[in-house]
Amino acid sequence: MKPRCFFQNLLLFLAVSVGVAVLPASGQVAFKTRQWSLQLDNSGKLTSMKSLALQKEFLFAGKATSLMSIKKDGNILPSQACEWNPKKSELALSYPAGVEAKIKVQRNDSYISFELVSLTPSQNIDLVLWGPYPTTIADTVGETVGVVRNREFAIGIQALNIKTLGGYPNSEADNEPSYDVFDGGNKVDVKEDDLKKQLFRGDVARPTDFGAVLQAYCRNRDKDRVVENWGYSAYLAPAFKDGGVIGSKIALFGVTNGDILPTISQIEVKEGLPHPLLDGEWGKQALHASESYLIMDFGVDNLQEAIAVTKQAGLRYLYHGDPFDTWGHFKLHAKEFPQNWASMKACVEAAKAKGVRLGVHTLSNFITTNDPYVTPVPDTRLGKAGYSKLSAAIDANAKEVGIEDPLFFNQFQNNTLKAITIGNEIIRYGSVSAAAPWKLLDCQRGAFGTTAASHQQNDTVNKLADHAYKVFLTDYALQEEMSTTIANLFNETGLMQISFDGLEGCLSSGMGQYAKQLFTKNWYDHLKPELRGKVINDASTPGHYFWHIYTRMNWGEPWYAGFRESQLQLRLKNQQFFRRNLMPSMLGWFSLRPETTPEDIEWMLAMGAGYNAGFGLATSLETLKKHGMKDEVLGLIKTWEQARMKNIFNEARKEQMRSLKHEFHLEMTGNNEYRLTPVYNAYFKHTQQMKQPGEPVFSTFQFNNPAASQPIAFIISLAGGKDKDYDPDVTFDQVSITINHQDALVLPVSLKRNQFLKCDGKTIRLYNKQWQLVQTVELSKPLPVLSADKNEIVFDGKYSGENGADVKLEIRASGQPELIRANH
């Protein structure tokens, strides 16, 4: 054997023994795990991503890229040469202009990691780019988690440190792309043409016409940059010391679908990523990750009442939606928490003794104008869009401020407060002069309780960043301090749930998604060990690295339409996002008002069971005291949530629950057994008609009853219409229902606006708007009977005057109950 061949064979043997094969004839190197192989050619370009068991190629060769490219002087440059050093387990990549990179490679059973350990010369290197790696897989594209999958196989990418950002550097400000369904300003729900679109949030994985790509990058931040950011065409992104691109690290893996989450869990543990455990189980697979919660103000005086309601609903989490008097230092409302954090700690301990965990809502780095960071002396670390210099000295009364350059000041798209700082003074301005000499006009001196003062020529004028909520924001140093403060709040009080709402405020640092994820990581890292990973947290924006920290996302707001209508399509489309990105599912927030029906609550609960999704239910003690069916509503929540947590529903039943065409009623029968009854309903509307004397004004409806023959059940209401004028004093009398030509059911009731007539198939009761019982209607004969299949319903009554509101009629029929026994 020739010495060279012997050496090559020995090298090949050594490499294969650690999962790396060098193919001398082709100059290629292949890395293998148990399920997958990744192959590079002698230029460093990917040539294969193959499932070993299937012996199937998933690389789309026509778009193959280098393992790592660089961006230098504004141009993306792929590697030109690649050499493998088995002793150091390093790849040496060469680029144009004499740039050399060393990449440390580590093979594990389930994944391969790649870390940039040197790059020379490093001058003028803007960033390094991992990918885009083109795959033929596109059935399910997890744009946030960074995993693509089909029925056979999945390929994924994971950034292994926070400065390695998931996605492609489309934006110099590092703002990941997302699809805003409310661009038009309509908050009720997504637009009709959005219903068929996927609501993408990020592009760590991105669908393409050939399949999908996986991608990540790391930016060199050693210099100040001016970028387009958050409505500003020019925004200062200051230099940031994080070691630059050296140390950027990713993991790539290919596994069967059932091994995706176990592989990511293994990556988290081995690579030192956040690995939250809820009740001892990894957060992304924990049974309690999607637990529902009650959103309700509480304090030292009414905590016990709030705890009692939470327990009556069978929930473990009670969440305060607005606990802070100021954002920034996070001072709590004095009336509810007279000793500030000490009062909250006492509340947490009292709730814990009753088996309830407390949480609070935050707006992340938003700073209210009454916070000490703003007044009476503004903190120098308030977020800034940019700065200029005073072109001339001003006294404390000047209403015009001369500046050298208007670049950062003459932008008004995201400029609510129009505020600047000079020294210790905040000044608000109305506009900027149209031409040089540049001046800020119509100035309000000593704004927000600061002190007006004289300032000298060439003093620095800082343009403060703000938000439409009329709050200020932070630079990175203040952002870090605020996130540490939130961690300290949890450490000192023992709070167990948080939402980082307004996390987009971190864009004020000029570092885009990097800053948003640094905020949450800093909070996570500063939690006590006994809390770290155990606090349920979500946010208004997800993120690739943040995926490892957050428990779940929970979009959907109840403020814009009825209980069932407000953002319904958005809630449903979010379930697709959760599934794509391997996250626990949530339905969003709902609002329990005095007029909310038990049927609405049960509709929500069944949908949640279908998606195995929790919810936040916003209400108040005052609302619950007014609600005439409070006990029934809270009992329904307890029954359904306990059943969902026990996972008693099979997939076929869950599929029915996910359909908006089905409703269900659930009750517990004892002995750990549940009775699930399908409910079939239809909605009709009877409108007042002005006709000549003697002409009938009744309405005729058709109801198809899929269930067996049964006495009629219904809900009738006289509600104020939004689309036309009506007389609120007009009543609807002598309500009459005739079914299939049976004797008419005539109810001796005068139905007023916002009252409800409800029949459960046995009894008819009249309720007011808040579901308090007004009257039980005595019946002189049995209720009319709905036939199986088709029914003709004639509905009639008499309005007491003109311009009466529409009468709404809901017919309900119960199907065959099913007994389901819980396994535990």
Side-chain angles (χ1 to χ4, degrees):
M1 180 180 292
K2 295 181 179 180
R4 179 175 175 82
C5 293
F6 172 79
F7 174 75
Q8 288 177 338
N9 288 339
L10 177 61
L11 192 62
L12 178 61
F13 170 77
L14 291 173
V16 170
S17 69
V18 294
V20 182
V22 180
L23 310 176
S26 61
Q28 301 209 13
V29 56
F31 305 97
K32 292 184 178 181
T33 66
R34 286 179 300 176
Q35 299 190 44
W36 183 66
S37 70
L38 173 71
Q39 190 166 296
L40 309 175
D41 67 12
N42 56 12
S43 73
K45 184 173 74 173
L46 270 65
T47 57
S48 177
M49 289 194 295
K50 183 184 290 186
S51 162
L52 299 178
L54 298 171
Q55 280 299 296
K56 189 169 183 178
E57 182 62 64
F58 291 108
L59 177 76
F60 185 78
K63 295 288 185 178
T65 57
S66 297
L67 174 70
M68 189 189 80
S69 300
I70 64 172
K71 186 177 182 182
K72 178 177 168 57
D73 299 325
N75 299 310
I76 300 289
L77 305 174
S79 58
Q80 296 177 322
C82 172
E83 293 184 4
W84 170 247
N85 185 329
K87 290 184 179 180
K88 294 185 176 182
S89 191
E90 282 183 356
L91 287 169
L93 299 179
S94 301
Y95 299 87
V99 178
E100 302 286 336
K102 299 288 178 59
I103 296 176
K104 186 76 172 179
V105 182
Q106 179 67 49
R107 187 198 71 87
N108 296 274
D109 287 345
S110 300
Y111 69 96
I112 307 161
S113 68
F114 301 91
E115 180 181 6
L116 177 62
V117 293
S118 72
L119 185 67
T120 54
S122 58
Q123 293 81 5
N124 299 323
I125 302 297
D126 302 322
L127 57 83
V128 297
L129 177 61
W130 302 96
Y133 306 128
T135 79
T136 58
I137 299 175
D139 289 8
T140 303
V141 178
E143 72 273 28
T144 299
V145 67
V147 178
V148 296
R149 50 196 158 117
N150 59 22
R151 293 181 180 179
E152 299 176 305
F153 205 65
I155 297 178
I157 185 173
Q158 293 289 288
L160 297 184
N161 50 43
I162 197 166
K163 71 179 180 180
T164 305
L165 305 180
Y168 192 86
N170 297 291
S171 161
E172 285 295 307
D174 298 318
N175 297 328
E176 68 269 59
S178 63
Y179 183 64
D180 186 355
V181 295
F182 299 126
D183 265 343
N186 174 23
K187 297 287 187 181
V188 173
D189 213 341
V190 297
K191 295 175 288 189
E192 189 68 30
D193 59 355
D194 293 324
L195 293 179
K196 295 182 180 179
K197 298 176 182 177
Q198 294 190 36
L199 307 185
F200 279 99
R201 297 176 171 99
D203 65 343
V204 190
R206 181 175 62 83
T208 65
D209 55 1
F210 57 77
V213 294
L214 299 166
Q215 51 202 1
Y217 69 99
C218 182
R219 187 180 295 280
N220 189 349
R221 304 178 187 275
D222 61 348
K223 299 175 183 177
D224 288 357
R225 296 177 298 127
V226 175
V227 301
E228 184 177 349
N229 179 45
W230 211 22
Y232 289 84
S233 57
Y235 197 99
L236 180 63
F240 185 68
K241 295 182 179 180
D242 62 359
V245 296
I246 304 303
S248 180
K249 188 176 183 182
I250 65 164
L252 294 173
F253 62 87
V255 294
T256 59
N257 286 339
D259 288 327
I260 300 172
L261 284 175
T263 297
I264 297 178
S265 177
Q266 181 188 31
I267 290 172
E268 287 183 355
V269 173
K270 285 194 172 184
E271 300 294 337
L273 298 178
H275 188 68
L277 299 176
L278 297 176
D279 298 326
E281 190 177 5
W282 181 42
K284 291 300 182 291
Q285 293 179 307
L287 176 67
H288 294 291
S290 66
E291 271 196 81
S292 300
Y293 54 105
L294 206 59
I295 305 166
M296 187 164 60
D297 290 357
F298 59 83
V300 293
D301 291 336
N302 64 3
L303 178 68
Q304 293 303 325
E305 288 181 86
I307 290 172
V309 169
T310 306
K311 291 185 70 67
Q312 189 178 352
L315 303 177
R316 294 200 303 167
Y317 287 85
L318 172 61
Y319 184 81
H320 200 306
D322 182 25
F324 300 109
D325 182 52
T326 74
W327 302 334
H329 285 76
F330 299 103
K331 179 182 179 297
L332 294 163
H333 290 305
K335 184 177 180 180
E336 295 173 331
F337 306 99
Q339 294 180 312
N340 200 22
W341 291 11
S343 294
M344 179 63 82
K345 180 180 180 180
C347 289
V348 168
E349 291 174 349
K352 183 178 180 181
K354 298 289 183 67
V356 172
R357 304 173 182 186
L358 301 186
V360 293
H361 196 75
T362 70
L363 269 294
S364 301
N365 76 326
F366 287 20
I367 301 175
T368 50
T369 57
N370 63 337
D371 189 84
Y373 283 135
V374 176
T375 185
V377 177
D379 196 287
T380 59
R381 299 166 298 170
L382 291 174
K384 305 170 189 68
Y387 63 90
S388 185
K389 298 286 185 180
L390 274 180
S391 58
I394 59 172
D395 62 27
N397 298 311
K399 302 301 182 185
E400 295 183 356
V401 175
I403 55 175
E404 292 181 353
D405 189 340
L407 176 65
F408 298 110
F409 305 82
N410 205 10
Q411 305 176 92
F412 296 99
Q413 183 178 336
N414 192 15
N415 187 2
T416 301
L417 296 177
K418 300 184 183 67
I420 62 172
T421 58
I422 308 176
N424 290 333
E425 181 185 2
I426 297 178
I427 303 171
R428 298 185 69 184
Y429 64 97
S431 60
V432 181
S433 60
W438 303 109
K439 293 183 178 181
L440 304 180
L441 307 176
D442 304 319
C443 293
Q444 174 194 340
R445 304 299 301 274
F448 304 112
T450 62
T451 301
S454 60
H455 303 286
Q456 302 304 309
Q457 184 178 5
N458 293 323
D459 281 356
T460 299
V461 184
N462 297 300
K463 171 64 187 76
L464 294 181
D466 61 46
H467 185 273
Y469 280 21
K470 297 183 179 180
V471 293
F472 290 116
L473 302 164
T474 64
D475 69 6
Y476 178 72
L478 186 53
Q479 166 186 313
E480 186 173 54
E481 183 169 293
M482 282 181 61
S483 62
T484 302
T485 299
I486 297 174
N488 290 339
L489 169 65
F490 277 68
N491 291 336
E492 291 188 25
T493 63
L495 287 162
M496 293 298 291
Q497 185 183 349
I498 188 172
S499 178
F500 294 103
D501 198 4
L503 199 55
E504 66 275 9
C506 295
L507 300 181
S508 61
S509 69
M511 294 194 295
Q513 61 158 313
Y514 189 20
K516 291 188 290 186
Q517 297 182 96
L518 281 167
F519 188 93
T520 54
K521 183 178 186 297
N522 187 68
W523 166 81
Y524 183 89
D525 289 345
H526 279 84
L527 291 175
K528 290 180 178 178
E530 56 265 34
L531 286 181
R532 190 178 307 132
K534 299 175 178 63
V535 176
I536 284 183
N537 68 98
D538 58 37
S540 56
T541 56
H544 179 59
Y545 189 95
F546 187 24
W547 185 95
H548 301 290
I549 296 173
Y550 63 67
T551 312
R552 62 208 184 186
M553 291 284 129
N554 192 30
W555 296 285
E557 298 180 359
W559 326 118
Y560 308 109
F563 187 92
R564 303 193 189 199
E565 294 82 19
S566 186
Q567 299 191 347
L568 173 60
Q569 292 300 331
L570 175 64
R571 298 175 195 273
L572 298 180
K573 291 187 74 62
N574 281 330
Q575 307 313 308
Q576 301 171 7
F577 171 81
F578 302 140
R579 182 182 61 85
R580 292 197 308 269
N581 288 284
L582 304 166
M583 293 162 49
S585 292
M586 297 294 287
L587 293 178
W589 286 20
F590 291 85
S591 181
L592 173 58
R593 302 183 175 102
E595 62 269 23
T596 304
T597 70
E599 288 76 17
D600 284 342
I601 291 292
E602 202 151 23
W603 167 85
M604 173 194 72
L605 293 165
M607 183 167 60
Y611 286 105
N612 190 23
F615 55 85
L617 190 62
T619 190
S620 67
L621 288 172
E622 182 182 2
T623 290
L624 292 171
K625 289 173 183 176
K626 292 177 180 178
H627 202 299
M629 292 189 175
K630 178 198 76 170
D631 293 339
E632 180 178 344
V633 165
L634 297 179
L636 287 170
I637 295 171
K638 182 175 184 178
T639 298
W640 276 96
E641 278 297 280
Q642 287 182 346
R644 184 174 71 87
M645 287 291 110
K646 293 176 182 178
N647 195 28
I648 72 168
F649 304 112
N650 60 33
E651 186 54 39
R653 187 59 76 194
K654 287 180 182 178
E655 184 177 0
Q656 289 182 322
M657 291 174 175
R658 291 193 292 266
S659 169
L660 298 180
K661 297 179 181 179
H662 296 88
E663 293 191 25
F664 295 87
H665 173 65
L666 185 69
E667 53 191 329
M668 196 167 185
T669 63
N671 298 321
N672 214 22
E673 200 170 56
Y674 293 82
R675 179 185 293 113
L676 181 69
T677 305
V679 176
Y680 309 100
N681 63 342
Y683 299 90
F684 306 105
K685 183 172 67 175
H686 176 76
T687 301
Q688 185 176 20
Q689 304 174 62
M690 306 306 294
K691 296 187 177 182
Q692 61 186 359
E695 187 175 357
V697 293
F698 59 80
S699 297
T700 302
F701 308 119
Q702 302 296 322
F703 175 68
N704 185 48
N705 176 22
S709 176
Q710 58 191 281
I712 188 172
F714 58 78
I715 301 174
I716 302 172
S717 62
L718 182 64
K722 294 181 180 180
D723 300 328
K724 65 177 184 178
D725 294 331
Y726 62 92
D727 183 345
D729 295 324
V730 171
T731 60
F732 190 70
D733 307 323
Q734 299 181 36
V735 180
S736 172
I737 302 175
T738 304
I739 301 176
N740 299 332
H741 308 291
Q742 301 173 49
D743 290 343
L745 171 67
V746 181
L747 303 177
V749 171
S750 182
L751 186 64
K752 298 178 182 178
R753 185 173 65 93
N754 292 325
Q755 287 186 332
F756 299 91
L757 263 176
K758 183 173 181 179
C759 175
D760 60 3
K762 300 175 183 177
T763 307
I764 301 176
R765 295 181 174 92
L766 178 66
Y767 297 94
N768 67 11
K769 181 181 179 179
Q770 298 172 344
W771 290 99
Q772 294 164 344
L773 183 63
V774 175
Q775 175 186 352
T776 299
V777 180
E778 298 295 334
L779 297 177
S780 60
K781 54 185 176 181
L783 289 166
V785 174
L786 287 171
S787 299
D789 204 13
K790 295 180 180 179
N791 290 269
E792 181 183 79
I793 299 172
V794 177
F795 185 81
D796 202 356
K798 293 183 179 181
Y799 284 94
S800 65
E802 297 181 0
N803 298 325
D806 293 339
V807 179
K808 297 181 179 180
L809 169 66
E810 179 186 357
I811 301 295
R812 299 175 65 85
S814 298
Q816 181 64 35
E818 173 188 1
L819 289 178
I820 305 173
R821 184 166 183 81
N823 295 323
H824 58 280

